Amino acid sequence: MANGPCGEDFKAAFSCFVYSKEEPKGVDCIDKFKAMQDCFRAHPDIYGAELEDDEEGELGQGEGEGEAITAAGAASPRDGQGGGLESAAAAVEDAAAPVIDDAKAKLSSAKEEIKDTVAAVKEKVQERASSAKAEIDETASTARRSVQQEAGEVSESEELVPKAAHDARDANQQVNEKTKESKSRA
């Protein structure tokens, strides 16, 4: 149906039905289904079977049962029943099934390709990170050896915090002595 002369009308009606949020589903798509049926009627040589199905649906429903039948063979939105709209919806779903299955297969294939690509990129990143770490370790080791050769062996504690920087006992003692001298003069 999607490829014939009424393909665009069919696609519009199908899309409307699929994305419809109204209850009953597709009730807001009646105009699109009418346009599709009008196109079917304009091409009875191609869509004769669809027209026969819809006419049978119209004959089985009548106004005596409290339903208002539209020209498309669907019950009007006010009665809350689908009528010909349900059969059109079923036809749309049947026609769309191969397209949906194909899309699902392509999506699945794309997911697999993405997983493979992510795994390959992750592996390359890990290899490069490992290589960079090895280079950094080698450079640090070379720098350590060079410093040790120039300065000789130095313990880390002496290198990091000189004694004079943290030992203030002598300074405190000098301040205390000056304070005592000033008090004794006074």
Side-chain angles (χ1 to χ4, degrees):
M1 273 200 238
N3 297 326
C6 299
E8 292 304 313
D9 292 323
F10 170 78
K11 290 176 191 175
F14 174 70
S15 293
C16 181
F17 178 79
V18 168
Y19 295 109
S20 174
K21 302 224 185 298
E22 297 295 321
E23 287 297 325
K25 185 162 180 81
V27 76
D28 53 335
C29 305
I30 290 175
D31 293 336
K32 289 184 174 39
F33 279 100
K34 280 183 187 179
M36 181 180 75
Q37 279 193 333
D38 290 343
C39 185
F40 286 178
R41 286 189 184 102
H43 304 318
D45 52 318
I46 298 172
Y47 300 104
E50 286 299 318
L51 292 172
E52 289 173 9
D53 289 344
D54 287 339
E55 288 171 6
E56 288 173 10
E58 286 179 20
L59 294 175
Q61 300 171 342
E63 290 182 340
E65 298 170 350
E67 295 183 32
I69 305 298
T70 65
S76 69
R78 71 174 183 265
D79 68 6
Q81 297 184 9
L85 184 59
E86 289 176 2
S87 66
V92 168
E93 287 177 350
D94 290 343
V99 174
I100 292 171
D101 291 342
D102 184 48
K104 286 180 180 178
K106 287 180 181 177
L107 178 62
S108 178
S109 174
K111 283 181 180 179
E112 288 303 316
E113 286 181 34
I114 289 170
K115 284 181 183 178
D116 292 344
T117 302
V118 166
V121 168
K122 192 174 185 180
E123 187 177 323
K124 285 182 182 179
V125 167
Q126 288 174 343
E127 287 174 6
R128 288 182 182 172
S130 178
S131 174
K133 184 182 181 316
E135 286 180 37
I136 290 170
D137 289 346
E138 181 61 32
T139 303
S141 178
T142 302
R144 244 185 255 113
R145 283 192 301 269
S146 174
V147 167
Q148 286 174 351
Q149 287 174 354
E150 288 178 16
E153 289 293 322
V154 179
S155 82
E156 271 189 33
S157 62
E158 290 175 12
E159 183 179 302
L160 295 177
V161 183
K163 183 176 181 182
H166 64 81
D167 191 359
R169 281 183 274 181
D170 292 337
N172 286 340
Q173 196 172 26
Q174 289 174 0
V175 170
N176 287 339
E177 288 175 9
K178 286 183 184 178
T179 305
K180 284 182 187 177
E181 285 177 22
S182 344
K183 285 183 181 179
S184 63
R185 285 187 203 161

